[in-house]
Amino acid sequence: MFKLMFHEPRIPPNTGNAIRMVAGTGCELHLVGPLGFDLSEPKLKRAGLDYHDLASVTVHENLEAAWAAVEPARVFAFTAHATVSYADIAYQPGDVLLFGPEPTGLSAEVLADPHVTERLRIPMLPGRRSLNLSNAAALVTYEAWRQHGFSGAAL
């Protein structure tokens, strides 16, 4: 339903957690290289547990290859520097939810990419830099899915 995209992820357990989350929601996970780890890394496998075969995960060499493969209509880039809240968006099936690498977030170049429809933020208390990548991705993914009545879920 939705396409979660991690641009140049660095921490294997965050990606493993995302694999488990997309398996549970039916979303796709798109990993944009270069990755900061090998997909066979034990920490990634441990975090994803036995959900790897239930998840849709695609690795793209770079952002241009990801755009060509995904052909997105709308891309929401998440950054602490945005003013619009993720909760103020009416998500549509096929939307791309784009998150940056730990610990830097999305670069100015990626945020300026013409595919990016809007920059969004997750509200936090002042003085906090960011949420954990997999937690932030889950929060947004579940909000988007909630807006569509948790389509396909066993409620």
Side-chain angles (χ1 to χ4, degrees):
M1 174 171 278
F2 301 100
K3 297 171 182 177
L4 178 60
M5 187 176 287
F6 284 179
H7 184 259
E8 299 181 358
R10 299 282 180 255
I11 301 174
N14 283 335
T15 298
N17 291 338
I19 289 169
R20 187 172 183 164
M21 190 265 297
V22 300
T25 61
C27 295
E28 299 172 6
L29 177 60
H30 294 268
L31 304 175
V32 179
L35 306 182
F37 50 85
D38 186 290
L39 286 175
S40 65
E41 202 162 310
K43 288 180 182 177
L44 182 135
K45 289 189 177 233
R46 187 175 317 117
L49 293 175
D50 56 350
Y51 288 83
H52 294 267
D53 61 334
L54 300 173
S56 172
V57 180
T58 305
V59 179
H60 305 280
E61 183 178 342
N62 54 44
L63 196 54
E64 293 75 28
W67 296 144
V70 173
E71 298 181 351
R74 300 191 327 164
V75 176
F76 296 104
F78 292 85
T79 174
H81 306 291
T83 56
V84 177
S85 169
Y86 80 98
D88 293 336
I89 298 299
Y91 296 96
Q92 300 171 7
D95 283 349
V96 173
L97 311 173
L98 176 61
F99 291 85
E102 317 92 328
T104 61
L106 293 168
S107 68
E109 179 183 351
V110 172
L111 289 169
D113 187 290
H115 290 91
V116 172
T117 305
E118 191 156 12
R119 299 174 188 184
L120 303 178
R121 72 176 292 116
I122 297 171
M124 292 186 300
L125 293 174
R128 278 50 171 200
R129 189 178 42 137
S130 66
L131 293 176
N132 169 277
L133 174 60
S134 61
N135 291 342
L139 182 99
V140 174
T141 300
Y142 268 84
E143 170 57 18
W145 195 28
R146 182 199 65 79
Q147 290 181 14
H148 291 273
F150 297 109
S151 176
L155 297 176

